[in-house]
Amino acid sequence: MDIITIIGLTAAFLTTVSSLPQVIKTIRLKETRDISFWMWTFLSVGIFLWLIYGLYKKDLPIILANGISLFLVLIVLGLKIKYK
Amino acid sequence: MDIITIIGLTAAFLTTVSSLPQVIKTIRLKETRDISFWMWTFLSVGIFLWLIYGLYKKDLPIILANGISLFLVLIVLGLKIKYK
């Protein structure tokens, strides 16, 4: 595997799992006042559309990355709605 | 332009600008306690690597989307560090 593929995969991994620390923090803290509702709404719709795009194009990396992202982002959005 | 290209562009637009409401909220509120430091750190490094990937591949949509995202994400990370 060449260096640029490794950079791309690392980029995809980091952006995909980036919401996980927020999920953990919000479950522990039960506070979401400082978190923007609109950010997580835009992110949920955007990632959902990426997933549709990936499914249509039959592009496995796009499907996988955005499937995992959507799961995590929807948890944060749900917690934001629950604890607002 | 076909429907799937429009879906892809809408997805790219929404995920790219999604941090903007968080930037505005944090500037107003001056509070970042509920925001995860590690989320914004992972996101900054991940998007920076996407930018390197796009520059290497000379892929303008990847460069543009991640250039704008990185700018917004670094503002939130900076505010998180400033107001923690």
Side-chain angles (χ1 to χ4, degrees):
Chain A
M1 208 187 293
D2 61 352
I3 184 73
I4 199 67
T5 304
I6 294 170
I7 288 175
L9 288 174
T10 310
F13 175 77
L14 284 174
T15 49
T16 300
V17 303
S18 64
S19 300
L20 189 59
Q22 185 66 61
V23 169
I24 294 167
K25 178 161 192 158
T26 307
I27 287 173
R28 281 191 187 154
L29 208 63
K30 293 186 176 61
E31 289 275 0
T32 62
R33 191 196 48 173
D34 306 341
I35 292 171
S36 164
F37 170 78
W38 289 109
M39 168 177 167
W40 293 92
T41 302
F42 286 2
L43 215 48
S44 298
V45 177
I47 291 170
F48 175 73
L49 293 179
W50 271 128
L51 191 58
I52 302 288
Y53 184 81
L55 287 167
Y56 185 89
K57 295 262 180 179
K58 295 182 176 58
D59 185 312
L60 192 61
I62 295 182
I63 295 168
L64 264 182
N66 288 286
I68 297 167
S69 291
L70 186 61
F71 175 73
L72 295 170
V73 164
L74 284 176
I75 293 176
V76 178
L77 184 61
L79 291 167
K80 172 70 188 172
I81 292 165
K82 185 179 175 189
Y83 294 126
K84 80 173 169 186
Chain B
M1 207 186 296
D2 61 353
I3 183 74
I4 199 66
T5 303
I6 293 169
I7 289 175
L9 288 174
T10 311
F13 175 76
L14 284 172
T15 48
T16 299
V17 302
S18 64
S19 300
L20 189 60
Q22 185 66 62
V23 169
I24 294 167
K25 177 160 194 160
T26 307
I27 287 173
R28 281 190 186 156
L29 207 63
K30 295 187 175 61
E31 288 277 357
T32 60
R33 191 197 47 173
D34 306 341
I35 291 172
S36 165
F37 170 78
W38 290 108
M39 170 179 164
W40 295 91
T41 303
F42 286 4
L43 215 48
S44 298
V45 178
I47 291 170
F48 175 73
L49 293 179
W50 271 128
L51 191 59
I52 300 288
Y53 184 81
L55 287 168
Y56 185 89
K57 296 264 180 178
K58 295 182 176 58
D59 185 312
L60 193 61
I62 295 182
I63 294 169
L64 265 182
N66 288 286
I68 296 166
S69 290
L70 185 61
F71 175 72
L72 295 169
V73 164
L74 284 176
I75 293 175
V76 177
L77 185 61
L79 291 167
K80 172 69 187 172
I81 292 166
K82 186 179 175 190
Y83 294 127
K84 81 174 167 186

